[in-house]
Amino acid sequence: MTDTVSNGATTKPQIPEGNVVTCLDKGFVRLVDYMGSDAAIVQAARVSYGAGTKKVSEDRGLIRYLMRHAHTTPFEMVEFKFHVKLPIFVARQWIRHRTANVNEYSGRYSVMPEEFYVPDAAQIRPQSATNKQGRAEETFSNAEAASIQALLQDGQQRAYNDYEKLLGDNFARELARINLPVSQYTEWYWKIDLHNLFHFLRLRIDAHAQYEIRVYADAMAQMVREIVPMAFEAFEDYTLNAVRLTKPELQAMKRLLAATDISLLTDEALSECGLSKREMEEFRGKLRTMQP
């Protein structure tokens, strides 16, 4: 989806049809609004208001150059606002990304809803033996999973019954909520610029991220891709699916390249890998810095 130009003015495309995605058992992500698009990134980078004066291919090349060289400011010209319903424990992870504007449902002003997250059987897993903060790949038996689900639901129900009793006794809402579990659902509006959203997605789409927050990140990524397809493509190529080398790793690469003739990397071979002419020059420059 791209902006269209009419009489020199940029027309904002409509929010995509799939702007609401169900997440987990009772949650969702909804794209409420957004400002800007690929055209806004290009406009900011050129510090120009000449919309439509460049070819689409040139816009794509510029966006990819900006992403590749970490020129992040133009991406901050695009913003997204989401309405999210999520378990509180997911929200506590999410809020660590302190680069967004957030307004959350308040248990001081309103009664907390009787909605709790219960993992499905496929996610009922033992503790990982190799990852202290994650679950194992194997699952429990169906009977064991059902027993664990029942235990979770029983605890949630008892906690909510106590909460309702305290409210019925005219106990203050702001204190009555304190025994409710972090599996309870909350809602918030979350607004963020594209640069910081890409940072969030890079961390939360990753396979090492907790499954429950990854579900939300995947849903948001699909919505963002619809609005800024060129920027998202660059994000995938240069950030999401890229790797960073440490200084010791670079030393190891130098040893490897000492026995390699980089002239064998012809333009044709590099083009087959998806590199543009400019990227070929940059890549060969990087290789030369690694040679002894």
Side-chain angles (χ1 to χ4, degrees):
M1 180 179 296
T2 57
D3 285 359
T4 57
V5 178
S6 176
N7 298 323
T10 301
T11 303
K12 176 179 175 180
Q14 295 295 312
I15 292 177
E17 288 284 336
N19 70 311
V20 180
V21 177
T22 300
C23 297
L24 304 180
D25 55 349
K26 304 177 186 71
F28 62 77
V29 173
R30 179 169 68 94
L31 178 59
V32 177
D33 199 3
Y34 70 93
M35 180 187 76
S37 62
D38 285 328
I41 299 168
V42 170
Q43 183 188 71
R46 293 187 175 126
V47 195
S48 166
Y49 293 94
T53 59
K54 298 287 183 178
K55 296 179 181 178
V56 171
S57 60
E58 293 180 47
D59 289 349
R60 177 178 179 271
L62 175 56
I63 288 173
R64 292 177 68 81
Y65 178 88
L66 295 171
M67 182 69 71
R68 193 163 65 250
H69 292 275
H71 297 313
T72 60
T73 304
F75 295 97
E76 296 175 11
M77 300 299 113
V78 181
E79 292 190 342
F80 290 83
K81 182 165 68 174
F82 297 95
H83 177 198
V84 188
K85 183 178 178 181
L86 68 172
I88 290 174
F89 75 91
V90 176
R92 297 293 78 84
Q93 289 185 346
W94 196 316
I95 204 67
R96 291 177 62 83
H97 296 267
R98 300 180 297 274
T99 50
N101 304 113
V102 185
N103 195 53
E104 186 176 359
Y105 185 95
S106 173
R108 295 185 68 194
Y109 295 101
S110 304
V111 174
M112 296 296 289
E114 188 177 354
E115 293 185 297
F116 300 91
Y117 169 61
V118 179
D120 62 35
Q123 296 303 323
I124 302 288
R125 303 180 185 183
Q127 174 65 42
S128 171
T130 57
N131 181 1
K132 292 183 179 180
Q133 63 176 7
R135 68 200 75 175
E137 288 298 318
E138 64 269 18
T139 60
F140 287 103
S141 68
N142 290 339
E144 289 173 317
S147 177
I148 291 171
Q149 288 174 320
L151 185 66
L152 292 173
Q153 291 171 317
D154 181 62
Q156 293 165 348
Q157 189 62 61
R158 283 188 286 107
Y160 197 81
N161 288 345
D162 291 343
Y163 172 66
E164 286 191 312
K165 182 181 184 305
L166 291 171
L167 293 179
D169 293 339
N170 201 33
F171 190 48
R173 287 189 296 270
E174 65 181 1
L175 288 174
R177 62 183 173 162
I178 64 177
N179 276 11
L180 291 171
V182 293
S183 58
Q184 183 162 43
Y185 273 88
T186 184
E187 296 184 35
W188 65 27
Y189 277 79
W190 194 71
K191 182 172 74 68
I192 191 168
D193 68 65
L194 182 60
H195 164 58
N196 285 297
L197 178 54
F198 278 154
H199 179 68
F200 170 87
L201 293 176
R202 180 180 69 82
L203 295 175
R204 300 307 182 177
I205 290 177
D206 189 273
H208 296 94
Q210 185 167 343
Y211 165 77
E212 283 78 12
I213 197 169
R214 198 164 69 240
V215 168
Y216 287 89
D218 286 339
M220 296 168 71
Q222 296 309 310
M223 298 177 188
V224 172
R225 187 198 302 270
E226 288 290 313
I227 305 300
V228 285
M230 287 189 284
F232 199 91
E233 176 195 41
F235 165 66
E236 288 185 302
D237 287 349
Y238 304 132
T239 302
L240 189 60
N241 298 320
V243 296
R244 297 179 181 178
L245 297 180
T246 64
K247 182 178 179 181
E249 288 169 340
L250 285 173
Q251 294 301 319
M253 285 296 297
K254 285 185 177 182
R255 293 193 177 189
L256 180 64
L257 288 170
T260 303
D261 182 4
I262 66 171
S263 65
L264 297 176
L265 293 173
T266 64
D267 285 1
E268 182 180 3
L270 293 179
S271 178
E272 290 175 356
C273 295
L275 274 69
S276 66
K277 285 287 188 181
R278 182 190 289 267
E279 288 175 290
M280 292 178 195
E281 295 174 7
E282 294 175 0
F283 179 57
R284 289 193 176 104
K286 291 175 184 178
L287 292 179
R288 282 193 289 272
T289 64
M290 295 184 202
Q291 288 187 311

